[in-house]
Amino acid sequence: MSSPIQPSPYEQDIDDQLTALADQLAHPLPAALHELDLSRYERIVLTGMGSSDFATIPIERDLASRGYPVWRVDAGSLLDFPQLINSKTLLWMTSQSGMSGEIVTLLDQLDGARRPATIIGVTNDEQSVLAKRCDILIALKSGQEATVSSKSYVNTLVAQYRVLFALLRRDEASLVSTLRELGGEFAALIDDRRAAQSITGRAFEHGEPRVALVGIGADGATAMTGSLILKEACKVMAEGYLGGEFRHGPLETSGPGMIALLIGDGTDVTLEALAAELVSNGTEVVTIGPKAYAGSRHLPTGTHPEVARLIAGILYVQHFTVTIARAKGLVPGEFLYGRKVTVTL
């Protein structure tokens, strides 16, 4: 009898996500955050790299819908266009390590007269460069993380929403309470990989599977981060798309052998039409959301609050990273060429 497969450090991190989330929810935000007046800033710039950048997609959308002058620009692009930051800028920087090469280099360039009015730093390492140079530190409280981002991403999502509530003078009590109440549902979702396993098994009937993740609105954060961790954790060619981007070229790569994860709140006509078309051409179509699009396979999430839907969505994607890695004979989450903290530009 063969011995059971031992969980990888990445899988152990996945299992520890609720403990990390509880630590984030229990950590009070700095009082200084509640004193900021968004109307005094000429612009609000959200920046980070990878999942730290993608986690701010919902924040950008919310602030823009309220008429605030907000830009979401990854830190690498800001190095090419630093003029976007001036002395009247609120710079909201996110880096789970606080040591990413682009973040550190950008901070080095923002000293003296070029320093923005306020820097909010969101990071897990409270001794990092970002933590020491920001004006207001938002600690993720994710604990140690072995490889690919899992619990640090979930905590980043939640921390961003909590910061948004504080800046908008909204009471976070209901949000925090609801997320705590949903702990049992999240735990059940983490424990059950059967749906992802069955989909993965069929995908390998056509050789190496292709994965497309298409997200609408705030769920774009799940699509973009999901494609990133699929590449990192199971070495599969996965691409994330926002809104209607998939129709502009990538549609030609669909068909048998592709898994298309359509991620939204269940109401969008764009994903409804796309799902019907993809189902008809033999693509394995899976909806991650409150309801299925066009009769596709359904991995259910709740509807409110929005951040809870995003957490459930990324938990499903994590299942795919593990089941695909195992199907390929890989250790889920193990880096072959990169490393946890990218310090090189």
Side-chain angles (χ1 to χ4, degrees):
M1 180 181 296
S2 61
S3 60
I5 297 175
Q6 295 300 309
S8 67
Y10 171 61
E11 291 169 281
Q12 292 171 352
D13 283 340
I14 290 174
D15 289 341
D16 289 342
Q17 286 177 107
L18 294 186
T19 299
L21 176 57
D23 290 341
Q24 166 55 218
L25 293 174
H27 181 63
L29 294 176
L33 194 63
H34 300 269
E35 299 169 2
L36 297 185
D37 179 2
L38 292 183
S39 65
R40 65 179 278 251
Y41 297 102
E42 185 176 284
R43 63 195 63 160
I44 302 167
V45 178
L46 313 175
T47 195
M49 292 299 294
S51 63
S52 293
D53 171 34
F54 302 142
T56 63
I57 289 174
I59 309 306
E60 176 192 32
R61 287 174 48 78
D62 191 290
L63 291 175
S65 72
R66 298 173 190 273
Y68 288 106
V70 57
W71 282 261
R72 180 180 62 86
V73 184
D74 71 78
S77 297
L78 270 182
L79 290 175
D80 290 333
F81 188 48
Q83 297 86 349
L84 188 61
I85 301 171
N86 61 27
S87 61
K88 297 181 180 180
T89 298
L90 169 60
L91 182 59
W92 186 337
M93 309 183 80
T94 304
S95 171
Q96 290 156 11
S97 70
M99 298 295 293
S100 297
E102 293 83 358
I103 289 289
V104 172
T105 303
L106 185 59
L107 285 167
D108 287 341
Q109 294 182 0
L110 297 178
D111 286 339
R114 294 197 51 226
R115 198 182 196 283
T118 307
I119 299 176
I120 296 174
V122 182
T123 184
N124 196 45
D125 185 348
E126 296 176 53
Q127 300 303 314
S128 65
V129 172
L130 176 57
K132 292 179 178 179
R133 295 194 191 179
C134 67
D135 299 305
I136 302 176
L137 170 62
I138 311 300
L140 292 179
K141 299 297 180 181
S142 304
Q144 294 295 314
E145 191 167 56
T147 58
V148 174
S149 176
S150 55
K151 57 186 179 177
S152 62
Y153 176 70
V154 169
N155 276 22
T156 299
L157 274 177
V158 173
Q160 304 293 26
Y161 275 87
R162 293 183 67 201
V163 172
L164 178 67
F165 272 46
L167 293 176
L168 296 177
R169 307 290 193 268
R170 294 177 60 188
D171 187 355
E172 69 165 24
S174 177
L175 173 69
V176 171
S177 175
T178 300
L179 289 175
R180 285 174 173 154
E181 292 170 0
L182 289 170
E185 294 183 25
F186 292 148
L189 201 164
I190 289 171
D191 288 342
D192 189 359
R193 280 190 195 133
R194 289 174 297 178
Q197 185 66 65
S198 67
I199 294 167
T200 298
R202 289 197 303 277
F204 275 91
E205 294 174 0
H206 302 278
E208 181 81 4
R210 313 180 306 279
V211 185
L213 302 89
V214 186
I216 291 287
D219 296 272
T222 306
M224 301 308 292
T225 298
S227 69
L228 178 65
I229 66 171
L230 279 160
K231 294 185 186 81
E232 288 184 314
C234 60
K235 325 309 177 196
V236 71
M237 289 306 300
E239 295 299 334
Y241 303 94
L242 302 178
E245 291 178 341
F246 186 76
R247 286 193 175 277
H248 294 265
L251 181 63
E252 293 300 315
T253 68
S254 63
M258 172 176 277
I259 302 173
L261 304 180
L262 306 188
I263 312 166
D265 64 5
T267 66
D268 186 78
V269 296
T270 297
L271 290 188
E272 184 74 28
L274 180 61
E277 190 169 342
L278 292 177
V279 167
S280 70
N281 75 11
T283 301
E284 179 78 46
V285 183
V286 181
T287 295
I288 298 178
K291 57 174 282 191
Y293 292 109
S296 60
R297 287 288 299 271
H298 187 210
L299 301 179
T301 68
T303 55
H304 299 291
E306 181 179 83
V307 64
R309 188 175 78 243
L310 303 188
I311 293 171
I314 204 64
L315 295 182
Y316 281 121
V317 177
Q318 290 169 5
H319 286 334
F320 283 105
T321 67
V322 173
T323 58
I324 293 174
R326 293 294 183 195
K328 296 176 67 172
L330 301 173
V331 176
E334 183 179 57
F335 288 119
L336 300 180
Y337 308 110
R339 53 184 176 174
K340 177 65 180 171
V341 181
T342 304
V343 297
T344 304
L345 291 179

PDB file of all heavy atoms in Angstrom, residues 25-42:
ATOM      1  N   LEU A  25      -8.379  40.358  11.265  1.00  0.00           N
ATOM      2  CA  LEU A  25      -9.617  40.980  11.724  1.00  0.00           C
ATOM      3  C   LEU A  25      -9.503  41.481  13.164  1.00  0.00           C
ATOM      4  O   LEU A  25     -10.169  42.441  13.551  1.00  0.00           O
ATOM      5  CB  LEU A  25     -10.778  39.995  11.604  1.00  0.00           C
ATOM      6  CG  LEU A  25     -11.167  39.599  10.183  1.00  0.00           C
ATOM      7  CD1 LEU A  25     -12.225  38.497  10.201  1.00  0.00           C
ATOM      8  CD2 LEU A  25     -11.654  40.807   9.392  1.00  0.00           C
ATOM      9  N   ALA A  26      -8.665  40.834  13.964  1.00  0.00           N
ATOM     10  CA  ALA A  26      -8.498  41.235  15.363  1.00  0.00           C
ATOM     11  C   ALA A  26      -7.537  42.411  15.526  1.00  0.00           C
ATOM     12  O   ALA A  26      -7.501  43.038  16.594  1.00  0.00           O
ATOM     13  CB  ALA A  26      -7.992  40.045  16.180  1.00  0.00           C
ATOM     14  N   HIS A  27      -6.791  42.727  14.471  1.00  0.00           N
ATOM     15  CA  HIS A  27      -5.769  43.775  14.560  1.00  0.00           C
ATOM     16  C   HIS A  27      -6.399  45.139  14.276  1.00  0.00           C
ATOM     17  O   HIS A  27      -6.930  45.363  13.182  1.00  0.00           O
ATOM     18  CB  HIS A  27      -4.655  43.500  13.553  1.00  0.00           C
ATOM     19  CG  HIS A  27      -3.542  44.504  13.591  1.00  0.00           C
ATOM     20  ND1 HIS A  27      -2.752  44.688  14.692  1.00  0.00           N
ATOM     21  CD2 HIS A  27      -3.096  45.383  12.655  1.00  0.00           C
ATOM     22  CE1 HIS A  27      -1.856  45.626  14.429  1.00  0.00           C
ATOM     23  NE2 HIS A  27      -2.045  46.062  13.212  1.00  0.00           N
ATOM     24  N   PRO A  28      -6.349  46.071  15.237  1.00  0.00           N
ATOM     25  CA  PRO A  28      -6.954  47.389  14.994  1.00  0.00           C
ATOM     26  C   PRO A  28      -6.162  48.207  13.981  1.00  0.00           C
ATOM     27  O   PRO A  28      -4.930  48.139  13.942  1.00  0.00           O
ATOM     28  CB  PRO A  28      -6.931  48.047  16.382  1.00  0.00           C
ATOM     29  CG  PRO A  28      -5.819  47.353  17.115  1.00  0.00           C
ATOM     30  CD  PRO A  28      -5.793  45.945  16.601  1.00  0.00           C
ATOM     31  N   LEU A  29      -6.869  48.965  13.161  1.00  0.00           N
ATOM     32  CA  LEU A  29      -6.203  49.853  12.216  1.00  0.00           C
ATOM     33  C   LEU A  29      -5.628  51.061  12.948  1.00  0.00           C
ATOM     34  O   LEU A  29      -6.157  51.471  13.986  1.00  0.00           O
ATOM     35  CB  LEU A  29      -7.198  50.339  11.154  1.00  0.00           C
ATOM     36  CG  LEU A  29      -7.757  49.270  10.211  1.00  0.00           C
ATOM     37  CD1 LEU A  29      -8.799  49.895   9.287  1.00  0.00           C
ATOM     38  CD2 LEU A  29      -6.657  48.613   9.403  1.00  0.00           C
ATOM     39  N   PRO A  30      -4.563  51.656  12.431  1.00  0.00           N
ATOM     40  CA  PRO A  30      -3.987  52.846  13.073  1.00  0.00           C
ATOM     41  C   PRO A  30      -4.989  53.988  13.133  1.00  0.00           C
ATOM     42  O   PRO A  30      -5.721  54.243  12.178  1.00  0.00           O
ATOM     43  CB  PRO A  30      -2.806  53.199  12.157  1.00  0.00           C
ATOM     44  CG  PRO A  30      -2.495  51.951  11.415  1.00  0.00           C
ATOM     45  CD  PRO A  30      -3.802  51.240  11.238  1.00  0.00           C
ATOM     46  N   ALA A  31      -5.018  54.701  14.244  1.00  0.00           N
ATOM     47  CA  ALA A  31      -5.941  55.833  14.407  1.00  0.00           C
ATOM     48  C   ALA A  31      -5.697  56.907  13.354  1.00  0.00           C
ATOM     49  O   ALA A  31      -6.647  57.583  12.915  1.00  0.00           O
ATOM     50  CB  ALA A  31      -5.792  56.410  15.814  1.00  0.00           C
ATOM     51  N   ALA A  32      -4.440  57.069  12.954  1.00  0.00           N
ATOM     52  CA  ALA A  32      -4.106  58.124  11.976  1.00  0.00           C
ATOM     53  C   ALA A  32      -4.845  57.934  10.661  1.00  0.00           C
ATOM     54  O   ALA A  32      -5.117  58.898   9.941  1.00  0.00           O
ATOM     55  CB  ALA A  32      -2.604  58.150  11.728  1.00  0.00           C
ATOM     56  N   LEU A  33      -5.186  56.693  10.337  1.00  0.00           N
ATOM     57  CA  LEU A  33      -5.883  56.418   9.090  1.00  0.00           C
ATOM     58  C   LEU A  33      -7.254  57.093   9.059  1.00  0.00           C
ATOM     59  O   LEU A  33      -7.687  57.606   8.024  1.00  0.00           O
ATOM     60  CB  LEU A  33      -6.037  54.907   8.927  1.00  0.00           C
ATOM     61  CG  LEU A  33      -6.448  54.355   7.577  1.00  0.00           C
ATOM     62  CD1 LEU A  33      -5.391  54.663   6.523  1.00  0.00           C
ATOM     63  CD2 LEU A  33      -6.647  52.854   7.671  1.00  0.00           C
ATOM     64  N   HIS A  34      -7.920  57.120  10.197  1.00  0.00           N
ATOM     65  CA  HIS A  34      -9.262  57.693  10.278  1.00  0.00           C
ATOM     66  C   HIS A  34      -9.241  59.214  10.183  1.00  0.00           C
ATOM     67  O   HIS A  34     -10.287  59.833   9.981  1.00  0.00           O
ATOM     68  CB  HIS A  34      -9.925  57.275  11.589  1.00  0.00           C
ATOM     69  CG  HIS A  34     -10.074  55.787  11.742  1.00  0.00           C
ATOM     70  ND1 HIS A  34     -11.187  55.095  11.335  1.00  0.00           N
ATOM     71  CD2 HIS A  34      -9.213  54.854  12.243  1.00  0.00           C
ATOM     72  CE1 HIS A  34     -11.027  53.808  11.589  1.00  0.00           C
ATOM     73  NE2 HIS A  34      -9.842  53.634  12.133  1.00  0.00           N
ATOM     74  N   GLU A  35      -8.064  59.795  10.339  1.00  0.00           N
ATOM     75  CA  GLU A  35      -7.951  61.254  10.320  1.00  0.00           C
ATOM     76  C   GLU A  35      -7.660  61.813   8.926  1.00  0.00           C
ATOM     77  O   GLU A  35      -7.684  63.027   8.730  1.00  0.00           O
ATOM     78  CB  GLU A  35      -6.858  61.686  11.299  1.00  0.00           C
ATOM     79  CG  GLU A  35      -7.150  61.268  12.741  1.00  0.00           C
ATOM     80  CD  GLU A  35      -5.958  61.449  13.661  1.00  0.00           C
ATOM     81  OE1 GLU A  35      -4.900  61.950  13.164  1.00  0.00           O
ATOM     82  OE2 GLU A  35      -6.055  61.093  14.852  1.00  0.00           O
ATOM     83  N   LEU A  36      -7.378  60.954   7.962  1.00  0.00           N
ATOM     84  CA  LEU A  36      -7.067  61.428   6.617  1.00  0.00           C
ATOM     85  C   LEU A  36      -8.326  61.945   5.929  1.00  0.00           C
ATOM     86  O   LEU A  36      -9.405  61.369   6.053  1.00  0.00           O
ATOM     87  CB  LEU A  36      -6.450  60.311   5.771  1.00  0.00           C
ATOM     88  CG  LEU A  36      -5.105  59.745   6.228  1.00  0.00           C
ATOM     89  CD1 LEU A  36      -4.593  58.730   5.210  1.00  0.00           C
ATOM     90  CD2 LEU A  36      -4.078  60.850   6.424  1.00  0.00           C
ATOM     91  N   ASP A  37      -8.162  63.011   5.185  1.00  0.00           N
ATOM     92  CA  ASP A  37      -9.262  63.606   4.413  1.00  0.00           C
ATOM     93  C   ASP A  37      -8.939  63.431   2.933  1.00  0.00           C
ATOM     94  O   ASP A  37      -8.052  64.091   2.396  1.00  0.00           O
ATOM     95  CB  ASP A  37      -9.396  65.088   4.769  1.00  0.00           C
ATOM     96  CG  ASP A  37     -10.507  65.779   3.990  1.00  0.00           C
ATOM     97  OD1 ASP A  37     -11.201  65.105   3.197  1.00  0.00           O
ATOM     98  OD2 ASP A  37     -10.670  66.995   4.175  1.00  0.00           O
ATOM     99  N   LEU A  38      -9.655  62.536   2.270  1.00  0.00           N
ATOM    100  CA  LEU A  38      -9.348  62.239   0.874  1.00  0.00           C
ATOM    101  C   LEU A  38      -9.506  63.446  -0.033  1.00  0.00           C
ATOM    102  O   LEU A  38      -8.859  63.536  -1.083  1.00  0.00           O
ATOM    103  CB  LEU A  38     -10.242  61.099   0.369  1.00  0.00           C
ATOM    104  CG  LEU A  38      -9.996  59.715   0.971  1.00  0.00           C
ATOM    105  CD1 LEU A  38     -10.915  58.685   0.323  1.00  0.00           C
ATOM    106  CD2 LEU A  38      -8.538  59.300   0.823  1.00  0.00           C
ATOM    107  N   SER A  39     -10.330  64.387   0.330  1.00  0.00           N
ATOM    108  CA  SER A  39     -10.580  65.545  -0.529  1.00  0.00           C
ATOM    109  C   SER A  39      -9.373  66.483  -0.612  1.00  0.00           C
ATOM    110  O   SER A  39      -9.314  67.321  -1.516  1.00  0.00           O
ATOM    111  CB  SER A  39     -11.802  66.322  -0.030  1.00  0.00           C
ATOM    112  OG  SER A  39     -11.554  66.880   1.254  1.00  0.00           O
ATOM    113  N   ARG A  40      -8.423  66.332   0.282  1.00  0.00           N
ATOM    114  CA  ARG A  40      -7.267  67.236   0.270  1.00  0.00           C
ATOM    115  C   ARG A  40      -6.169  66.784  -0.691  1.00  0.00           C
ATOM    116  O   ARG A  40      -5.205  67.503  -0.940  1.00  0.00           O
ATOM    117  CB  ARG A  40      -6.684  67.395   1.671  1.00  0.00           C
ATOM    118  CG  ARG A  40      -6.082  66.134   2.260  1.00  0.00           C
ATOM    119  CD  ARG A  40      -5.498  66.396   3.638  1.00  0.00           C
ATOM    120  NE  ARG A  40      -4.180  66.977   3.542  1.00  0.00           N
ATOM    121  CZ  ARG A  40      -3.056  66.321   3.849  1.00  0.00           C
ATOM    122  NH1 ARG A  40      -3.110  65.063   4.236  1.00  0.00           N
ATOM    123  NH2 ARG A  40      -1.887  66.910   3.761  1.00  0.00           N
ATOM    124  N   TYR A  41      -6.325  65.573  -1.253  1.00  0.00           N
ATOM    125  CA  TYR A  41      -5.294  65.055  -2.146  1.00  0.00           C
ATOM    126  C   TYR A  41      -5.646  65.338  -3.606  1.00  0.00           C
ATOM    127  O   TYR A  41      -6.798  65.197  -4.026  1.00  0.00           O
ATOM    128  CB  TYR A  41      -5.121  63.546  -1.945  1.00  0.00           C
ATOM    129  CG  TYR A  41      -4.645  63.193  -0.559  1.00  0.00           C
ATOM    130  CD1 TYR A  41      -5.537  62.707   0.398  1.00  0.00           C
ATOM    131  CD2 TYR A  41      -3.317  63.359  -0.194  1.00  0.00           C
ATOM    132  CE1 TYR A  41      -5.114  62.382   1.677  1.00  0.00           C
ATOM    133  CE2 TYR A  41      -2.878  63.048   1.082  1.00  0.00           C
ATOM    134  CZ  TYR A  41      -3.784  62.562   2.020  1.00  0.00           C
ATOM    135  OH  TYR A  41      -3.355  62.259   3.286  1.00  0.00           O
ATOM    136  N   GLU A  42      -4.632  65.725  -4.364  1.00  0.00           N
ATOM    137  CA  GLU A  42      -4.817  65.963  -5.799  1.00  0.00           C
ATOM    138  C   GLU A  42      -5.049  64.661  -6.546  1.00  0.00           C
ATOM    139  O   GLU A  42      -5.756  64.622  -7.555  1.00  0.00           O
ATOM    140  CB  GLU A  42      -3.587  66.681  -6.345  1.00  0.00           C
ATOM    141  CG  GLU A  42      -3.683  67.101  -7.780  1.00  0.00           C
ATOM    142  CD  GLU A  42      -2.451  67.898  -8.223  1.00  0.00           C
ATOM    143  OE1 GLU A  42      -2.367  69.087  -7.851  1.00  0.00           O
ATOM    144  OE2 GLU A  42      -1.593  67.314  -8.900  1.00  0.00           O
TER     145      GLU A  42
END
